[in-house]
Amino acid sequence: MSISLSTNLHHSHPHAHLTVSTPSMSILRRLTLPIHHHHRHQRRRFLSHIAAAVRQDTTVWTPTPISLIESAAESLFHVSIDVSDAPEIASSHTRAGQYLQLKVPDSPKPSFLAIASPPSLAAARGELQFLVKTVAGSTAELLCGLKKGDVVELTPAMGNGFNVDLISPPETFPTILIFATGSGISPIRSLIESGFCADKRSDVRLYYGARNLRRMAYQDRFKDWESSGVKIFPVLSKPDEEWSGETGYVQAAFSRSKNIVSPNSTGAVLCGHKQMAEEITSILTEDGVSIDKILKNF
């Protein structure tokens, strides 16, 4: 007999619910019987799997409405979610680079999404914004098919985000190199708009890669980002014929320009394709940039 316990947390989380699955009684009885030495390892593994499953099932989900959904670029969507009635979620977003899990009504499988908006937006307006790439057959595709007013379920924000304290103060780390590809620009937007004293640093560069300009989100924000002290280098891997800027992959474009004057006073922030992150990390560390000054959000 399988036992499933569902508890509504109306006191501390009026809109949240907690689900805990417990192992069947027959399984528990077997686990209490004497066991031979060569089976002990199996039992320990089995118990750890049960514990992990219970931990996984205790995630708190809070229903929240979509306040905006619109195209951001080819295959990318802006999604804004109203968390003004979920203060525990709004207050959990404290640092750029954090992420959360999201569920839509027709999919039991949650999606991990990096938060694109700065923490100040959640605090001031009770709003979280995301840049979502639609992928066929995924929860993200279902999300991008919803409309304003539809309800999704969120967890509180997770992760440590980008620890910019490691690349502060600005006079000690005047050079900050930022790298993003595709929807990886999402937490980078949060970082830039959170403010990390870019205007007090002498060399802040963003290398932002996409297939072409049609797939490059946030172009309407570039002017504001540059006015905050960030120099932007768009890098297109499959550009149109009229494109005269950087081409190829982000790591190749950076290798051509590099110009790291002082590795000891250089920090970096990465988000995007795994290969890009690995190659950029190798390039930077080989040039003397400390590995603990290369920030990632996962």
Side-chain angles (χ1 to χ4, degrees), residues 169-175 196-204 228-229:
E171 54 269 20
T172 304
F173 296 94
T175 299
F196 61 105
C197 301
D199 59 337
K200 296 179 181 178
R201 305 178 196 260
S202 59
D203 180 17
V204 179
S228 74

Side-chain angles (χ1 to χ4, degrees), residues 89-237:
I89 292 181
S91 63
S92 69
H93 186 208
T94 58
R95 182 183 282 174
Q98 286 182 294
Y99 54 92
L100 50 67
Q101 292 186 79
L102 176 148
K103 285 198 299 191
V104 299
D106 296 327
S107 176
K109 186 177 181 181
S111 180
F112 283 88
L113 295 176
I115 302 171
S117 49
S120 58
L121 191 69
R125 289 175 22 194
E127 183 178 341
L128 294 177
Q129 297 178 349
F130 304 87
L131 180 66
V132 183
K133 181 179 181 180
T134 178
V135 178
S138 69
T139 298
E141 182 184 41
L142 293 173
L143 171 62
C144 294
L146 298 179
K147 61 185 184 300
K148 181 179 178 179
D150 286 342
V151 173
V152 296
E153 291 184 276
L154 302 182
T155 67
M158 310 173 183
N160 296 321
F162 299 122
N163 186 2
V164 294
D165 290 344
L166 295 174
I167 52 174
S168 298
E171 54 269 20
T172 304
F173 296 94
T175 299
I176 302 296
L177 305 169
I178 308 171
F179 304 90
T181 53
S183 59
I185 193 65
S186 177
I188 297 301
R189 176 202 149 191
S190 182
L191 173 71
I192 293 172
E193 296 181 8
S194 296
F196 61 105
C197 301
D199 59 337
K200 296 179 181 178
R201 305 178 196 260
S202 59
D203 180 17
V204 179
R205 289 176 256 162
L206 166 62
Y207 293 85
Y208 176 15
R211 181 183 291 271
N212 52 51
L213 285 178
R214 293 186 301 278
R215 294 205 177 188
M216 182 166 279
Y218 298 144
Q219 294 178 55
D220 58 329
R221 296 178 177 270
F222 285 2
K223 186 176 180 180
D224 287 340
W225 291 359
E226 292 201 311
S227 68
S228 74
V230 180
K231 189 171 184 181
I232 302 172
F233 295 87
V235 185
L236 305 182
S237 60

Side-chain angles (χ1 to χ4, degrees), residues 5 13 17 29 48-49 92 115 118 141 168 170 172 174 200 207 216 248 255 278 280-281 291:
L5 173 67
H13 300 281
H17 65 264
R29 280 196 296 270
S48 68
H49 288 320
S92 69
I115 302 171
E141 182 184 41
S168 298
T172 304
K200 296 179 181 178
Y207 293 85
M216 182 166 279
S255 292
E278 289 176 348
I280 289 292
T281 299
I291 189 71

